[in-house]
Amino acid sequence: MKALCSLLLSLAAAPALAGQAVDYEINGQPYQGYHAAARGEPKGSVLIIHDWDGLTDYEMRRVDMLAAAGYDAFAADLYGAGNRPVDTAAKKAETAKLYEDRQAMRERTLAALAQSQRLGDSDTVVMGYCFGGAVVLELARAGSAEHIKGYATFHGGLSTPEGQSYSADMPPLLVAHGGADTSVSMDDVAALSQELEAANATYEIQVYSGAPHAFTVLGSERYDARADQHSWDAFNDLLEETLGSPAP
């Protein structure tokens, strides 16, 4: 209960954002991420990939939480500076552009990773929410980025495009999934598990009973405090295993 209250207070009653916007370019086009430096001696870096809303205060709050715990943290921008879709149709359109152009998805993610590593520690865990979770798995399958120590996806898309696969030398992967998710089914979870087993990959899948899709989004109708806390604890374990001490 104490840990849950701490998490809720960190998100709901957080002070003004402690980090800062970071402008960067990809192929001559402007993007704007968000960075917060680790308090004290850095334990490593965390790169956060946003959901289909684009980079918003939600990811920024998570960046601040990680920085307060001693991690250099950076939230990527995969849509472009100022492009933050509001209605559902616009959000679907933005994600479709990248789902249909996987090379662009990887290029933008790797550019954000490079920016993150320029600002902080090179050893990095990459995590993402919803659409961002699918992007994390895309990066994990590509396997070309240096200094990535782990991956985590929260209520993310889990399907594997034709022609792609996982490898045995992939860094550890955490999959946090809601048992009541109607957008990504338990059949999808099982299929991913079979792929990872076939590849002899190192992974952990946690399923939280009754939790719907987007269960970590505080203030939404889908928010599930228990699943949010348990998935954050599991993420802490991954950080401790791969980078050092966990976040509170």
Side-chain angles (χ1 to χ4, degrees):
M1 180 60 71
K2 182 178 179 181
L4 176 57
C5 289
S6 176
L7 176 64
L8 294 177
L9 288 172
S10 296
L11 291 174
L17 292 170
Q20 61 184 358
V22 176
D23 294 318
Y24 61 106
E25 290 189 357
I26 305 175
N27 297 326
Q29 298 300 309
Y31 290 77
Q32 188 176 78
Y34 178 81
H35 173 258
R39 294 185 188 174
E41 186 69 22
K43 304 169 186 174
S45 292
V46 179
L47 174 65
I48 297 179
I49 312 298
H50 58 72
D51 63 16
W52 73 345
D53 294 332
L55 175 55
T56 66
D57 281 0
Y58 175 71
E59 290 84 12
M60 295 179 191
R61 295 294 183 194
R62 295 288 184 177
V63 164
D64 284 356
M65 289 171 65
L66 289 162
Y71 298 95
D72 292 316
F74 184 76
D77 172 16
L78 298 193
Y79 290 168
N83 185 1
R84 303 294 183 261
V86 176
D87 60 75
T88 299
K91 295 174 184 180
K92 287 182 177 180
E94 289 302 322
T95 56
K97 291 176 185 177
L98 294 176
Y99 280 132
E100 293 167 7
D101 188 347
R102 296 281 174 155
Q103 181 175 350
M105 179 187 286
R106 292 190 295 272
E107 286 180 350
R108 295 183 191 184
T109 307
L110 289 171
L113 176 65
Q115 182 64 50
S116 173
Q117 292 174 337
R118 282 193 291 270
L119 293 167
D121 195 288
S122 59
D123 288 343
T124 307
V125 168
V126 184
M127 59 99 88
Y129 296 98
C130 296
F131 161 72
V135 175
V136 167
L137 295 184
E138 181 73 20
L139 188 62
R141 290 187 296 267
S144 58
E146 295 183 356
H147 302 292
I148 292 182
K149 301 302 181 181
Y151 299 99
T153 167
F154 295 78
H155 41 78
L158 303 179
S159 61
T160 301
E162 185 176 354
Q164 292 191 19
S165 61
Y166 295 92
S167 64
D169 60 356
M170 181 186 77
L173 166 66
L174 167 68
V175 177
H177 183 78
D181 192 328
T182 57
S183 297
V184 182
S185 71
M186 290 300 297
D187 288 340
D188 296 325
V189 175
L192 175 63
S193 177
Q194 291 170 355
E195 292 178 49
L196 294 168
E197 282 292 327
N200 292 318
T202 300
Y203 72 98
E204 179 177 341
I205 296 175
Q206 293 204 4
V207 178
Y208 308 106
S209 61
H213 191 67
F215 61 79
T216 68
V217 182
L218 190 74
S220 73
E221 293 181 354
R222 296 182 174 186
Y223 182 72
D224 186 302
R226 175 181 173 274
D228 185 20
Q229 181 62 56
H230 280 270
S231 61
W232 191 250
D233 288 345
F235 183 54
N236 286 339
D237 291 341
L238 178 67
L239 293 178
E240 184 175 18
E241 175 187 344
T242 59
L243 296 177
S245 301

